[in-house]
Amino acid sequence: MSLPDLSAVRAFVLDVDGVLTDGTLLALNSGEQARTFHIRDGYAIRHAVAKGYRIVVISGREEEGVRRRLESLDVHDIYLGVADKMKIFNNYINLNRLDPMYIAYMGDDMPDVEVMRRCGVAACPSDAATDVAAISNYVASLPGGKGAVRELIEAVMKAQNTW
């Protein structure tokens, strides 16, 4: 598989569970479902934001802890509890006048596929669902929640000499 043109990417759209996390949910007695995030993914996200890249997060699950983590990384375009990712994606690109060909979307499972097919870079962690990996033109060497997002962001920024 040849790599897509990473020099055209201006924005990253990311899923949470299985991408920014390893997909594990820790069910606490309080009812909260805790997740772990990799610190290197966080560094890369904050670095990309500081360099002017858009970071958008679209997730099917709504958790306040996830929102707080993303806000601590200076991410402002956060859509949690989303049933229809394509609808949110289309609204976002139309509102912000973005061409999907300049977007890298990283997903790991079937709810991500429709949006991934619209983007210039369809990316996934190394442990993504088989059907997702099959449509991806960028498969990270690392699994979700273990630096896959950092790998993608770093590759794009290095291709553009902004890392």
Side-chain angles (χ1 to χ4, degrees):
M1 166 185 16
S2 63
L3 284 178
D5 181 9
L6 300 179
S7 67
V9 173
R10 301 290 176 257
F12 299 92
V13 179
L14 307 169
D15 181 29
V16 174
D17 294 317
V19 173
L20 284 167
T21 76
D22 67 4
T24 301
L25 291 175
L26 180 61
L28 304 175
N29 287 337
S30 66
E32 185 179 6
Q33 296 182 346
R35 296 163 178 79
T36 59
F37 292 82
H38 200 290
I39 199 75
R40 288 190 203 127
D41 287 341
Y43 173 80
I45 289 169
R46 183 175 276 150
H47 186 57
V49 168
K51 293 288 186 171
Y53 292 86
R54 289 179 182 265
I55 304 286
V56 183
V57 173
I58 305 174
S59 177
R61 297 188 51 87
E62 172 76 54
E63 291 287 337
E64 189 58 30
V66 170
R67 182 177 303 283
R68 287 183 184 167
R69 172 64 181 151
L70 294 168
E71 287 172 349
S72 77
L73 299 173
D74 300 323
V75 176
H76 302 291
D77 298 323
I78 304 167
Y79 302 91
L80 304 179
V82 173
D84 185 346
K85 290 185 177 190
M86 185 56 106
K87 181 179 178 182
I88 294 297
F89 178 80
N90 283 332
N91 287 343
Y92 185 84
I93 63 171
N94 289 335
L95 180 67
N96 293 283
R97 298 183 179 161
L98 297 175
D99 183 334
M101 295 317 297
Y102 300 117
I103 296 173
Y105 185 105
M106 183 173 268
D108 73 305
D109 213 341
M110 296 310 293
D112 302 305
V113 168
E114 187 178 10
V115 182
M116 290 174 73
R117 285 191 170 130
R118 289 235 22 234
C119 295
V121 177
C124 70
S126 64
D127 60 342
T130 306
D131 290 338
V132 173
I135 65 147
S136 295
N137 54 15
Y138 183 98
V139 178
S141 66
L142 296 169
K146 303 293 183 189
V149 170
R150 160 73 176 256
E151 184 180 323
L152 172 65
I153 291 173
E154 187 175 336
V156 166
M157 292 181 73
K158 282 182 174 178
Q160 298 176 18
N161 296 314
T162 56
W163 183 251

